[in-house]
Amino acid sequence: MKFTHYDYENNLVGLIPKRLLELSEREFKNRSSRNTLLKTYCLILSKVETEIKRGRNRGDEKKKYYVSLSSKYFRKSILTGYKRYLDFLISHGFVEVRKRELDFHERRKRGIYIDIHDDPIFVESYQVGTRSKEYTIKEFPVLSDQELRFPLRIKESPCRIKNRRFLESVGIEDVKMSSDQYGYRLYHNLTNSYKKVLPQLDQDFIGYDIKTSIPYQIKEYIKKKGYNDDPFLELFDGDFYENWGSVLGMDISDRKKVKRSFNTYLNGKSNDYPPDLDEIVKHKFPLFHSLKSKGLGKKMVRVETDLMLNKVIGNIPAEKVLTIHDGFIVFRNDIVIVDKYLNDLNELKEFTIVKKRM
Protein backbone atom coordinates (compact mmCIF):
# COMPACT_ATOMS: atom_id res chain seq x y z
CA MET A 1 0.00 0.00 0.00
CA LYS A 2 1.33 3.45 -0.93
CA PHE A 3 0.85 6.11 1.74
CA THR A 4 2.44 9.17 0.10
CA HIS A 5 3.27 10.70 -3.28
CA TYR A 6 4.12 14.05 -4.87
CA ASP A 7 1.55 15.75 -7.11
CA TYR A 8 2.23 17.63 -10.37
CA GLU A 9 2.97 20.83 -8.40
CA ASN A 10 5.53 18.93 -6.28
CA ASN A 11 3.34 19.09 -3.18
CA LEU A 12 3.64 16.22 -0.71
CA VAL A 13 0.40 14.22 -0.53
CA GLY A 14 -0.21 11.60 2.13
CA LEU A 15 -2.70 9.69 4.25
CA ILE A 16 -2.97 10.88 7.85
CA PRO A 17 -4.10 8.54 10.68
CA LYS A 18 -7.52 9.37 12.07
CA ARG A 19 -6.16 9.44 15.63
CA LEU A 20 -3.55 12.04 14.69
CA LEU A 21 -6.17 14.23 13.00
CA GLU A 22 -8.36 14.11 16.11
CA LEU A 23 -5.42 14.89 18.39
CA SER A 24 -4.35 17.82 16.22
CA GLU A 25 -7.88 19.31 16.39
CA ARG A 26 -7.94 18.97 20.16
CA GLU A 27 -4.40 20.07 21.01
CA PHE A 28 -3.74 22.77 18.39
CA LYS A 29 -6.31 25.53 18.02
CA ASN A 30 -4.35 27.32 15.30
CA ARG A 31 -4.91 25.88 11.82
CA SER A 32 -1.36 26.67 10.73
CA SER A 33 0.04 24.74 13.71
CA ARG A 34 -2.17 21.75 12.92
CA ASN A 35 -0.97 21.72 9.33
CA THR A 36 2.67 21.89 10.41
CA LEU A 37 2.17 18.96 12.77
CA LEU A 38 0.54 16.84 10.07
CA LYS A 39 3.15 17.87 7.50
CA THR A 40 5.94 16.76 9.86
CA TYR A 41 4.34 13.33 10.18
CA CYS A 42 3.76 13.05 6.43
CA LEU A 43 7.34 14.03 5.63
CA ILE A 44 8.78 11.31 7.87
CA LEU A 45 6.22 8.83 6.54
CA SER A 46 7.31 9.56 2.97
CA LYS A 47 11.00 9.02 3.75
CA VAL A 48 10.35 5.80 5.69
CA GLU A 49 8.09 4.50 2.92
CA THR A 50 10.82 5.09 0.34
CA GLU A 51 13.39 3.30 2.50
CA ILE A 52 11.06 0.33 3.04
CA LYS A 53 10.65 -0.02 -0.74
CA ARG A 54 14.39 0.17 -1.36
CA GLY A 55 15.14 -2.27 1.43
CA ARG A 56 12.73 -4.84 0.12
CA ASN A 57 14.10 -4.43 -3.41
CA ARG A 58 17.51 -5.31 -1.94
CA GLY A 59 16.01 -8.36 -0.26
CA ASP A 60 16.03 -6.90 3.26
CA GLU A 61 13.12 -7.71 5.54
CA LYS A 62 13.65 -5.52 8.57
CA LYS A 63 10.97 -5.02 11.19
CA LYS A 64 11.71 -1.29 11.25
CA TYR A 65 13.28 1.00 8.69
CA TYR A 66 14.82 4.17 10.09
CA VAL A 67 15.66 7.31 8.09
CA SER A 68 18.31 9.86 9.00
CA LEU A 69 16.90 13.43 9.01
CA SER A 70 18.92 16.40 10.18
CA SER A 71 17.65 19.51 11.93
CA LYS A 72 18.76 21.47 8.87
CA TYR A 73 16.48 19.36 6.67
CA PHE A 74 13.49 19.89 8.97
CA ARG A 75 14.10 23.64 9.05
CA LYS A 76 14.35 23.82 5.26
CA SER A 77 11.27 21.72 4.57
CA ILE A 78 8.95 22.72 7.43
CA LEU A 79 10.02 25.69 9.57
CA THR A 80 12.55 26.73 12.21
CA GLY A 81 10.33 25.72 15.15
CA TYR A 82 9.78 22.15 13.96
CA LYS A 83 10.92 20.47 17.21
CA ARG A 84 7.67 21.21 19.05
CA TYR A 85 5.72 19.18 16.50
CA LEU A 86 8.28 16.41 16.29
CA ASP A 87 8.24 15.99 20.08
CA PHE A 88 4.44 15.79 19.96
CA LEU A 89 4.53 12.99 17.38
CA ILE A 90 7.11 11.07 19.43
CA SER A 91 5.33 11.48 22.77
CA HIS A 92 2.00 10.30 21.30
CA GLY A 93 3.45 7.22 19.63
CA PHE A 94 3.33 8.19 15.95
CA VAL A 95 7.09 8.53 15.44
CA GLU A 96 10.04 6.81 17.11
CA VAL A 97 13.69 7.85 17.41
CA ARG A 98 16.32 5.12 17.09
CA LYS A 99 18.01 4.45 20.42
CA ARG A 100 21.05 2.48 21.52
CA GLU A 101 22.18 1.04 24.83
CA LEU A 102 24.86 2.92 26.77
CA ASP A 103 27.88 0.67 27.22
CA PHE A 104 29.97 0.44 30.39
CA HIS A 105 32.61 2.98 29.29
CA GLU A 106 29.98 5.57 28.30
CA ARG A 107 28.14 5.13 31.60
CA ARG A 108 31.38 5.55 33.56
CA LYS A 109 32.28 8.66 31.55
CA ARG A 110 28.88 10.17 32.38
CA GLY A 111 29.11 9.16 36.04
CA ILE A 112 26.25 6.66 35.75
CA TYR A 113 26.50 3.43 37.73
CA ILE A 114 23.94 0.64 37.54
CA ASP A 115 23.69 -2.73 39.21
CA ILE A 116 23.93 -5.92 37.20
CA HIS A 117 20.21 -6.53 37.74
CA ASP A 118 19.13 -2.98 36.75
CA ASP A 119 17.52 -2.25 33.41
CA PRO A 120 19.91 -1.03 30.68
CA ILE A 121 19.99 2.67 29.83
CA PHE A 122 19.12 3.74 26.28
CA VAL A 123 19.88 7.08 24.62
CA GLU A 124 19.03 8.58 21.24
CA SER A 125 21.51 7.26 18.69
CA TYR A 126 23.10 10.36 17.18
CA GLN A 127 26.10 12.63 17.58
CA VAL A 128 25.93 16.39 17.25
CA GLY A 129 27.69 17.56 14.11
CA THR A 130 28.50 14.09 12.79
CA ARG A 131 25.38 11.95 12.72
CA SER A 132 21.72 12.95 12.45
CA LYS A 133 18.92 11.40 14.46
CA GLU A 134 17.13 8.49 12.82
CA TYR A 135 13.34 8.20 12.80
CA THR A 136 10.72 5.62 11.94
CA ILE A 137 6.92 5.54 11.86
CA LYS A 138 5.23 3.66 14.71
CA GLU A 139 1.61 4.22 13.66
CA PHE A 140 0.94 3.96 9.93
CA PRO A 141 -2.24 5.22 8.24
CA VAL A 142 -4.82 2.92 6.65
CA LEU A 143 -6.56 3.14 3.30
CA SER A 144 -9.69 4.73 4.79
CA ASP A 145 -7.75 7.60 6.39
CA GLN A 146 -7.97 11.13 5.03
CA GLU A 147 -5.51 12.27 2.37
CA LEU A 148 -3.99 15.75 2.76
CA ARG A 149 -1.71 17.87 0.58
CA PHE A 150 1.28 19.85 1.92
CA PRO A 151 3.47 22.38 0.09
CA LEU A 152 7.16 22.04 1.00
CA ARG A 153 9.56 24.95 1.36
CA ILE A 154 12.70 23.08 0.32
CA LYS A 155 15.08 25.00 -1.90
CA GLU A 156 16.56 22.55 -4.37
CA SER A 157 20.32 22.10 -4.58
CA PRO A 158 22.11 23.08 -7.84
CA CYS A 159 22.49 19.39 -8.67
CA ARG A 160 18.76 18.70 -8.32
CA ILE A 161 17.90 21.80 -10.32
CA LYS A 162 20.11 20.62 -13.20
CA ASN A 163 18.61 17.13 -13.08
CA ARG A 164 15.09 18.58 -13.05
CA ARG A 165 15.85 20.78 -16.09
CA PHE A 166 17.30 17.79 -17.96
CA LEU A 167 14.31 15.57 -17.19
CA GLU A 168 11.80 18.23 -18.16
CA SER A 169 13.69 18.98 -21.38
CA VAL A 170 13.38 15.34 -22.52
CA GLY A 171 9.65 15.23 -21.88
CA ILE A 172 9.34 14.01 -18.29
CA GLU A 173 6.24 15.80 -16.99
CA ASP A 174 6.05 14.34 -13.48
CA VAL A 175 9.65 14.73 -12.30
CA LYS A 176 10.50 12.63 -9.26
CA MET A 177 13.77 12.69 -7.35
CA SER A 178 14.80 11.08 -4.08
CA SER A 179 17.88 10.02 -2.13
CA ASP A 180 18.55 6.73 -0.37
CA GLN A 181 19.74 6.38 3.21
CA TYR A 182 22.73 4.15 2.48
CA GLY A 183 24.90 6.34 0.31
CA TYR A 184 22.68 9.43 -0.23
CA ARG A 185 22.70 8.71 -3.97
CA LEU A 186 20.25 10.63 -6.14
CA TYR A 187 17.49 8.69 -7.92
CA HIS A 188 15.10 10.03 -10.57
CA ASN A 189 12.63 8.95 -13.26
CA LEU A 190 15.35 7.69 -15.61
CA THR A 191 17.80 6.12 -13.14
CA ASN A 192 17.01 2.60 -14.34
CA SER A 193 15.79 3.36 -17.87
CA TYR A 194 18.08 6.06 -19.32
CA LYS A 195 19.89 3.56 -21.60
CA LYS A 196 16.56 2.67 -23.21
CA VAL A 197 14.87 6.09 -23.23
CA LEU A 198 17.61 8.52 -24.32
CA PRO A 199 18.64 6.73 -27.57
CA GLN A 200 15.03 6.95 -28.75
CA LEU A 201 15.01 10.76 -28.56
CA ASP A 202 15.95 12.98 -31.49
CA GLN A 203 18.78 14.62 -29.52
CA ASP A 204 22.49 13.98 -28.92
CA PHE A 205 23.75 13.18 -25.45
CA ILE A 206 27.22 12.50 -24.07
CA GLY A 207 27.75 10.29 -21.03
CA TYR A 208 30.68 10.70 -18.63
CA ASP A 209 31.68 7.67 -16.57
CA ILE A 210 34.13 7.97 -13.66
CA LYS A 211 35.90 4.61 -13.92
CA THR A 212 36.68 2.52 -10.82
CA SER A 213 35.35 5.33 -8.65
CA ILE A 214 34.80 3.52 -5.34
CA PRO A 215 38.15 1.63 -5.37
CA TYR A 216 39.99 4.90 -6.01
CA GLN A 217 38.10 6.53 -3.14
CA ILE A 218 39.32 3.66 -0.95
CA LYS A 219 42.87 4.13 -2.24
CA GLU A 220 42.89 7.82 -1.26
CA TYR A 221 41.27 7.02 2.10
CA ILE A 222 43.98 4.45 2.94
CA LYS A 223 46.80 6.78 1.84
CA LYS A 224 45.42 9.65 3.92
CA LYS A 225 45.58 7.37 6.94
CA GLY A 226 49.31 6.97 6.28
CA TYR A 227 49.35 3.41 4.91
CA ASN A 228 51.29 4.16 1.72
CA ASP A 229 52.80 0.67 1.44
CA ASP A 230 49.67 -1.37 2.15
CA PRO A 231 49.29 -4.40 -0.18
CA PHE A 232 45.77 -3.27 -1.19
CA LEU A 233 47.35 -0.36 -3.06
CA GLU A 234 49.22 -2.80 -5.32
CA LEU A 235 45.88 -3.68 -6.96
CA PHE A 236 45.99 -0.32 -8.74
CA ASP A 237 49.06 -1.29 -10.77
CA GLY A 238 46.98 -1.97 -13.88
CA ASP A 239 43.23 -2.62 -13.95
CA PHE A 240 41.96 -2.76 -10.36
CA TYR A 241 39.09 -5.18 -10.95
CA GLU A 242 41.18 -7.59 -13.01
CA ASN A 243 43.85 -7.59 -10.30
CA TRP A 244 41.24 -8.09 -7.59
CA GLY A 245 39.75 -11.02 -9.47
CA SER A 246 43.14 -12.61 -10.10
CA VAL A 247 44.14 -12.45 -6.43
CA LEU A 248 40.86 -14.10 -5.44
CA GLY A 249 41.05 -16.75 -8.13
CA MET A 250 38.11 -15.48 -10.19
CA ASP A 251 37.53 -15.70 -13.92
CA ILE A 252 38.57 -12.18 -14.98
CA SER A 253 37.29 -12.51 -18.56
CA ASP A 254 33.99 -11.00 -17.37
CA ARG A 255 35.13 -7.71 -15.81
CA LYS A 256 31.56 -6.60 -15.00
CA LYS A 257 31.00 -9.77 -13.01
CA VAL A 258 34.23 -9.21 -11.07
CA LYS A 259 33.17 -5.62 -10.39
CA ARG A 260 29.77 -6.77 -9.09
CA SER A 261 31.53 -9.29 -6.87
CA PHE A 262 33.75 -6.58 -5.38
CA ASN A 263 30.79 -4.27 -4.71
CA THR A 264 28.81 -7.12 -3.16
CA TYR A 265 31.72 -7.92 -0.87
CA LEU A 266 32.26 -4.28 0.09
CA ASN A 267 28.60 -3.37 0.69
CA GLY A 268 26.82 -6.68 1.27
CA LYS A 269 26.19 -8.90 4.24
CA SER A 270 28.34 -11.91 5.08
CA ASN A 271 25.80 -14.31 3.56
CA ASP A 272 26.01 -12.46 0.22
CA TYR A 273 29.47 -13.84 -0.60
CA PRO A 274 31.41 -17.12 0.01
CA PRO A 275 33.15 -17.41 3.42
CA ASP A 276 36.37 -18.51 1.74
CA LEU A 277 36.48 -15.21 -0.18
CA ASP A 278 36.39 -13.32 3.11
CA GLU A 279 39.22 -15.45 4.47
CA ILE A 280 41.40 -14.70 1.44
CA VAL A 281 40.77 -10.96 1.76
CA LYS A 282 41.44 -11.07 5.50
CA HIS A 283 44.77 -12.81 4.87
CA LYS A 284 45.97 -10.76 1.88
CA PHE A 285 44.50 -7.34 2.71
CA PRO A 286 44.09 -7.18 6.52
CA LEU A 287 43.74 -3.36 6.65
CA PHE A 288 41.08 -3.31 3.95
CA HIS A 289 39.27 -6.20 5.69
CA SER A 290 39.32 -4.34 9.00
CA LEU A 291 38.03 -1.10 7.45
CA LYS A 292 35.30 -2.98 5.58
CA SER A 293 34.09 -4.47 8.87
CA LYS A 294 33.76 -0.93 10.22
CA GLY A 295 31.46 0.34 7.46
CA LEU A 296 33.97 1.33 4.79
CA GLY A 297 31.50 0.58 1.98
CA LYS A 298 28.86 3.01 3.18
CA LYS A 299 31.47 5.67 3.94
CA MET A 300 32.98 5.43 0.45
CA VAL A 301 29.60 5.56 -1.34
CA ARG A 302 28.80 8.73 0.59
CA VAL A 303 32.19 10.23 -0.28
CA GLU A 304 31.55 9.39 -3.93
CA THR A 305 28.07 10.91 -3.76
CA ASP A 306 29.42 14.14 -2.26
CA LEU A 307 32.07 14.32 -4.98
CA MET A 308 29.61 13.75 -7.83
CA LEU A 309 26.63 15.79 -6.63
CA ASN A 310 28.35 18.74 -5.00
CA LYS A 311 31.86 19.16 -6.40
CA VAL A 312 31.22 17.94 -9.94
CA ILE A 313 27.60 18.27 -11.05
CA GLY A 314 26.62 21.05 -8.65
CA ASN A 315 29.29 23.36 -10.11
CA ILE A 316 29.59 22.12 -13.67
CA PRO A 317 28.89 24.95 -16.19
CA ALA A 318 25.90 23.23 -17.82
CA GLU A 319 22.26 23.99 -17.08
CA LYS A 320 20.97 20.47 -17.75
CA VAL A 321 22.73 17.41 -16.30
CA LEU A 322 21.44 13.91 -15.59
CA THR A 323 23.09 12.15 -12.64
CA ILE A 324 23.84 8.42 -12.87
CA HIS A 325 25.54 7.65 -9.52
CA ASP A 326 29.27 7.72 -10.44
CA GLY A 327 28.66 9.38 -13.80
CA PHE A 328 26.43 11.87 -15.56
CA ILE A 329 24.95 12.79 -18.94
CA VAL A 330 24.83 16.17 -20.70
CA PHE A 331 23.62 17.49 -24.03
CA ARG A 332 26.25 17.25 -26.77
CA ASN A 333 26.43 21.02 -27.27
CA ASP A 334 27.75 21.38 -23.70
CA ILE A 335 30.70 19.03 -24.21
CA VAL A 336 33.38 21.76 -24.63
CA ILE A 337 32.58 23.65 -21.43
CA VAL A 338 32.12 20.41 -19.49
CA ASP A 339 35.47 19.01 -20.64
CA LYS A 340 37.28 22.18 -19.67
CA TYR A 341 35.72 22.17 -16.21
CA LEU A 342 36.57 18.51 -15.59
CA ASN A 343 40.17 18.97 -16.77
CA ASP A 344 40.65 21.79 -14.25
CA LEU A 345 39.01 19.99 -11.32
CA ASN A 346 41.66 18.80 -8.86
CA GLU A 347 39.33 16.29 -7.21
CA LEU A 348 39.25 14.24 -10.44
CA LYS A 349 42.98 14.23 -11.22
CA GLU A 350 43.42 10.63 -10.03
CA PHE A 351 40.38 9.30 -11.90
CA THR A 352 39.92 8.05 -15.46
CA ILE A 353 36.90 9.59 -17.18
CA VAL A 354 35.38 7.80 -20.15
CA LYS A 355 33.06 9.61 -22.55
CA LYS A 356 30.60 7.95 -24.88
CA ARG A 357 27.64 8.93 -26.99
CA MET A 358 24.33 7.86 -25.52
Short mmCIF file of all heavy atoms in Angstrom, two decimals, residues 54 159-160 163 177-180 184-188 191 305 309 323-325:
data_model
loop_
_atom_site.label_atom_id
_atom_site.label_comp_id
_atom_site.label_asym_id
_atom_site.label_seq_id
_atom_site.Cartn_x
_atom_site.Cartn_y
_atom_site.Cartn_z
N ARG A 54 13.03 0.46 -0.93
CA ARG A 54 14.39 0.17 -1.36
C ARG A 54 14.95 -1.04 -0.63
O ARG A 54 15.66 -1.87 -1.21
CB ARG A 54 15.28 1.39 -1.12
CG ARG A 54 14.98 2.54 -2.05
CD ARG A 54 16.15 3.51 -2.11
NE ARG A 54 15.82 4.58 -3.04
CZ ARG A 54 15.69 5.86 -2.69
NH1 ARG A 54 15.85 6.21 -1.45
NH2 ARG A 54 15.40 6.78 -3.59
N CYS A 159 22.50 20.68 -7.99
CA CYS A 159 22.49 19.39 -8.67
C CYS A 159 21.07 18.96 -9.01
O CYS A 159 20.79 18.50 -10.12
CB CYS A 159 23.16 18.34 -7.80
SG CYS A 159 23.15 16.69 -8.53
N ARG A 160 20.16 19.09 -8.06
CA ARG A 160 18.76 18.70 -8.32
C ARG A 160 18.12 19.59 -9.36
O ARG A 160 17.33 19.14 -10.18
CB ARG A 160 17.96 18.74 -7.01
CG ARG A 160 18.21 17.53 -6.12
CD ARG A 160 17.38 17.60 -4.85
NE ARG A 160 17.49 16.36 -4.10
CZ ARG A 160 16.50 15.48 -3.92
NH1 ARG A 160 15.32 15.71 -4.46
NH2 ARG A 160 16.68 14.39 -3.22
N ASN A 163 19.28 18.38 -12.73
CA ASN A 163 18.61 17.13 -13.08
C ASN A 163 17.15 17.38 -13.47
O ASN A 163 16.64 16.78 -14.42
CB ASN A 163 18.67 16.15 -11.91
CG ASN A 163 19.94 15.32 -11.92
OD1 ASN A 163 19.99 14.23 -12.50
ND2 ASN A 163 20.98 15.83 -11.27
N MET A 177 12.40 12.89 -7.79
CA MET A 177 13.77 12.69 -7.35
C MET A 177 13.77 12.34 -5.86
O MET A 177 12.95 12.85 -5.10
CB MET A 177 14.61 13.94 -7.59
CG MET A 177 14.93 14.21 -9.05
SD MET A 177 16.01 15.65 -9.28
CE MET A 177 14.85 16.98 -8.98
N SER A 178 14.67 11.46 -5.49
CA SER A 178 14.80 11.08 -4.08
C SER A 178 16.22 10.61 -3.82
O SER A 178 16.99 10.36 -4.75
CB SER A 178 13.80 9.97 -3.74
OG SER A 178 14.09 8.79 -4.49
N SER A 179 16.56 10.50 -2.53
CA SER A 179 17.88 10.02 -2.13
C SER A 179 17.72 8.84 -1.18
O SER A 179 16.79 8.83 -0.37
CB SER A 179 18.67 11.13 -1.44
OG SER A 179 18.84 12.24 -2.30
N ASP A 180 18.63 7.86 -1.29
CA ASP A 180 18.55 6.73 -0.37
C ASP A 180 19.30 7.04 0.92
O ASP A 180 19.98 8.04 1.03
CB ASP A 180 19.06 5.44 -1.02
CG ASP A 180 20.56 5.49 -1.33
OD1 ASP A 180 21.28 6.25 -0.66
OD2 ASP A 180 20.99 4.77 -2.24
N TYR A 184 23.22 8.11 0.14
CA TYR A 184 22.68 9.43 -0.23
C TYR A 184 22.70 9.66 -1.74
O TYR A 184 22.73 10.80 -2.21
CB TYR A 184 23.44 10.56 0.47
CG TYR A 184 23.41 10.47 1.98
CD1 TYR A 184 24.48 10.90 2.74
CD2 TYR A 184 22.31 9.95 2.65
CE1 TYR A 184 24.46 10.82 4.13
CE2 TYR A 184 22.27 9.86 4.03
CZ TYR A 184 23.36 10.31 4.76
OH TYR A 184 23.33 10.22 6.13
N ARG A 185 22.72 8.57 -2.52
CA ARG A 185 22.70 8.71 -3.97
C ARG A 185 21.37 9.29 -4.45
O ARG A 185 20.32 9.07 -3.84
CB ARG A 185 22.95 7.36 -4.63
CG ARG A 185 24.41 6.93 -4.60
CD ARG A 185 24.60 5.56 -5.20
NE ARG A 185 26.00 5.31 -5.55
CZ ARG A 185 26.45 4.17 -6.00
NH1 ARG A 185 25.62 3.14 -6.15
NH2 ARG A 185 27.73 4.02 -6.32
N LEU A 186 21.43 10.01 -5.57
CA LEU A 186 20.25 10.63 -6.14
C LEU A 186 19.58 9.69 -7.15
O LEU A 186 20.25 9.13 -8.02
CB LEU A 186 20.64 11.94 -6.84
CG LEU A 186 19.50 12.73 -7.50
CD1 LEU A 186 18.52 13.24 -6.44
CD2 LEU A 186 20.06 13.89 -8.31
N TYR A 187 18.29 9.51 -7.00
CA TYR A 187 17.49 8.69 -7.92
C TYR A 187 16.44 9.58 -8.58
O TYR A 187 15.94 10.53 -7.97
CB TYR A 187 16.81 7.55 -7.18
CG TYR A 187 17.77 6.53 -6.61
CD1 TYR A 187 18.42 6.77 -5.40
CD2 TYR A 187 18.03 5.34 -7.28
CE1 TYR A 187 19.31 5.84 -4.87
CE2 TYR A 187 18.92 4.41 -6.76
CZ TYR A 187 19.55 4.66 -5.55
OH TYR A 187 20.44 3.74 -5.03
N HIS A 188 16.09 9.25 -9.84
CA HIS A 188 15.10 10.03 -10.57
C HIS A 188 14.35 9.13 -11.54
O HIS A 188 14.55 7.90 -11.56
CB HIS A 188 15.77 11.20 -11.31
CG HIS A 188 16.97 10.79 -12.11
ND1 HIS A 188 16.90 9.97 -13.23
CD2 HIS A 188 18.30 11.04 -11.92
CE1 HIS A 188 18.11 9.76 -13.71
NE2 HIS A 188 18.98 10.40 -12.93
N THR A 191 16.65 6.80 -13.73
CA THR A 191 17.80 6.12 -13.14
C THR A 191 17.99 4.72 -13.72
O THR A 191 19.11 4.31 -14.03
CB THR A 191 17.65 6.04 -11.61
OG1 THR A 191 17.70 7.36 -11.06
CG2 THR A 191 18.76 5.20 -10.99
N THR A 305 29.28 10.11 -3.52
CA THR A 305 28.07 10.91 -3.76
C THR A 305 28.36 12.39 -3.58
O THR A 305 27.93 13.23 -4.38
CB THR A 305 26.94 10.47 -2.82
OG1 THR A 305 26.64 9.10 -3.07
CG2 THR A 305 25.69 11.30 -3.07
N LEU A 309 27.77 14.86 -6.70
CA LEU A 309 26.63 15.79 -6.63
C LEU A 309 27.06 17.22 -6.33
O LEU A 309 26.50 18.17 -6.91
CB LEU A 309 25.63 15.32 -5.57
CG LEU A 309 25.00 13.93 -5.77
CD1 LEU A 309 23.85 13.74 -4.79
CD2 LEU A 309 24.52 13.74 -7.20
N THR A 323 22.18 12.89 -13.52
CA THR A 323 23.09 12.15 -12.64
C THR A 323 22.84 10.65 -12.73
O THR A 323 21.70 10.20 -12.64
CB THR A 323 22.89 12.59 -11.19
OG1 THR A 323 23.12 14.00 -11.09
CG2 THR A 323 23.85 11.87 -10.27
N ILE A 324 23.93 9.88 -12.90
CA ILE A 324 23.84 8.42 -12.87
C ILE A 324 24.91 7.92 -11.89
O ILE A 324 25.96 7.40 -12.29
CB ILE A 324 24.06 7.79 -14.27
CG1 ILE A 324 23.16 8.46 -15.32
CG2 ILE A 324 23.81 6.29 -14.21
CD1 ILE A 324 21.66 8.23 -15.09
N HIS A 325 24.67 8.12 -10.61
CA HIS A 325 25.54 7.65 -9.52
C HIS A 325 26.99 8.13 -9.68
O HIS A 325 27.32 9.22 -9.25
CB HIS A 325 25.45 6.14 -9.37
CG HIS A 325 24.08 5.65 -9.06
ND1 HIS A 325 23.15 6.40 -8.36
CD2 HIS A 325 23.44 4.48 -9.37
CE1 HIS A 325 22.03 5.72 -8.23
NE2 HIS A 325 22.18 4.56 -8.84
#
